[in-house]
Amino acid sequence: MKLSTFAVALTLSVAATQTFAKDVVLKPINDNIETQACLTAAKEGFGPALRLIRANGFNAEEFSASVRCNGESLRTFAYMYKNNKATENAKTVALVAKNQDVASQACLEALSVGKDAALAKFGLEGENIICNHKEMSDFVRQYSVENVVVRTSAE
């Protein structure tokens, strides 16, 4: 199996991303307490989410420390989606390929079309491609919850 590495430069733009200030529709995938807490945090805020957690018999601090809402902490998620809008504080991640080999291109392509389609496009089916020190599927999953911008090395 061919192993290739793909290094990326990450740029977190925390206060300058106004392009994401638009209405957001949150669709729960189930009705468990974690999902309820995330939805409450997004719609009503962090405090109401903590009250919901306590009302269901959980320790709010432990629950909040262990639960992730779309990859974010409960507090960050509440802040990002306050009033059901993504705010100027939404994180944006810029990914830049360190080199231009096919594996690196496949890693970037997988973010938009998925792992299998990217591997097929570059003729890498059956290969074990490593993207930023992670299996390609883990890499795609990690960045699927982020606002990702793919840049060329010239940018």
Side-chain angles (χ1 to χ4, degrees), residues 12-22 24 76 79-83 85-92 147:
L12 297 178
S13 303
V14 175
T17 312
Q18 294 183 0
T19 58
F20 295 102
K22 60 185 175 191
V24 175
T76 301
Y79 182 72
M80 287 173 61
Y81 293 95
K82 190 171 185 171
N83 299 322
K85 292 182 184 245
T87 68
E88 298 84 37
N89 297 310
K91 290 193 298 184
T92 299
N147 297 317

Side-chain angles (χ1 to χ4, degrees), residues 48-61:
L50 291 180
R51 286 191 288 282
L52 172 74
I53 293 163
R54 287 185 191 111
N56 281 278
F58 293 96
N59 179 302
E61 288 74 28

